[in-house]
Structure formats: C-alpha cells, structure tokens
Amino acid sequence: MKDTVSHCPVENAMLVLAGRWRILLIYYLLEGTKRFSDLRRDMPKISQRMLTLDLRALEAAGYVRRTVYPEVPVRVEYSLTEEGQHLRSLVDVLGECGERLTRHRDAKA
Amino acid sequence: MKDTVSHCPVENAMLVLAGRWRILLIYYLLEGTKRFSDLRRDMPKISQRMLTLDLRALEAAGYVRRTVYPEVPVRVEYSLTEEGQHLRSLVDVLGECGERLTRHRDAKA
C-alpha cells in the first residue's frame, strides 16, 4: 500500500489500519502478548504470509512490539506498544458497529 | 471479499468497512449528500471502478442510500442512512488515531 501521507487524519489512519486483518490483530493483541502461532489460532482464515506482512506493518507504524528471545529454538513474541494500546477505543467502537450491523441484518432477514 | 459472518463483531465490521477507502467515503458523506463526481473530487486517488464497488457495498450494508432522480440527464445522489450516521463515532476515533500517528511519526523523524 503506497504510503503517501495525506492532509486527512482519517486517510492517514486507514493507510496503516486498512485491510481486513490489521485492526483484528490489534483486537487480539489487546488480550496480551502473543506468539505467531497464537495469532494464527485466533485468526484461522488469515494466511501465514498476510499475518507476517500485517505484523511488520503494525510494527513499522509503532503499534506492535516484536521481542526475540535468543533461546533454542528462538522464541518470538508480539505485544502492543503504548501507541497500540491507544487503539482500544477504535476496536471498541468497531465492535459496536459490528453488533449494530448484525442486528440490522437480522432485522432485515 | 467473502462475506462469511463470524462470531466476532469486530471482524464482522471489518468485513464491510475494511479496504482503504470505505471509511473515508463515510467521512466525506458525513458532510452531506454528494454526487459521484463530488466524491471523486474529494478522493482523487480512488479509481472510478473502486468508488462504484465501495458505494455499492456500503449501500448493501445499509450505510449509504442511493437516490436516482428521473431527470434528463438522470441525477444520482448518495447520502448516509441512519445506520451510516452512526459511523460518525468510528470516523472521529480514526481521526484521532491518524493525528496520533502523525505526531508519533514527526517525533521519530
């Protein structure tokens, strides 16, 4: 995704957070520190490659911290930075939107 | 985007709202009723095809109303439904995320 910063804060946020999985990744990392395998279990529909790319993008944006423990085999953990923790309000609002959407759909069904 | 409803409201919301432009479209429609050409002027980087597909998806989700006036030439306008207006809180939170992101980037630069 071309990273051209725009004058609009909403567009700037979407440059980083758009895509089907990134905000969902934040949602699961709000539960606490996770390994790659934990995140794949949380999100069975995401591919290994997509998870790798999304984690890297969220790390580059300053939302996710990747910690490597020099053990054998090496251990890698992902957690939210302080900036990442601030996305809780966004995840909460999106959760409300999702619930309204489901209620709206059920009412139409 | 496969529309498989999940148990997770955040994922359900992202099924509809993911993608670089959809929430931005809501952002501009919060300003009021718009024509297709208005939205293309608001979002010069979006393609005609993408704008058409995103408007159709938002309409199907119940967020956008498409009104056709039988004039010559025909006039088509887009506006937010009541459900669409409820997304204002999401757009506001995303705007704050975008501002924090810019401040965070400037601090690192």
Side-chain angles (χ1 to χ4, degrees), chain A residues 61-76:
Chain A
Y63 289 135
V64 165
R65 178 182 308 108
R66 183 174 183 271
T67 310
V68 181
Y69 296 89
E71 299 164 2
V72 181
V74 73
R75 181 158 55 98
V76 178

Side-chain angles (χ1 to χ4, degrees), chain B residues 26-78:
Chain B
I26 301 289
Y27 168 77
Y28 285 112
L29 284 169
L30 281 166
E31 293 173 353
T33 300
K34 302 242 179 179
R35 295 197 194 180
F36 194 87
S37 52
D38 298 326
L39 290 167
R40 289 222 63 197
R41 209 172 306 119
D42 289 332
M43 304 165 62
K45 292 181 218 156
I46 192 172
S47 70
Q48 177 147 339
R49 181 175 168 278
M50 206 60 226
L51 179 54
T52 304
L53 292 175
D54 281 347
L55 282 170
R56 216 175 278 163
L58 292 172
E59 193 184 352
Y63 290 134
V64 165
R65 178 183 307 108
R66 182 172 182 269
T67 310
V68 181
Y69 296 91
E71 298 163 1
V72 180
V74 74
R75 181 158 56 98
V76 179
E77 289 183 346
Y78 297 90

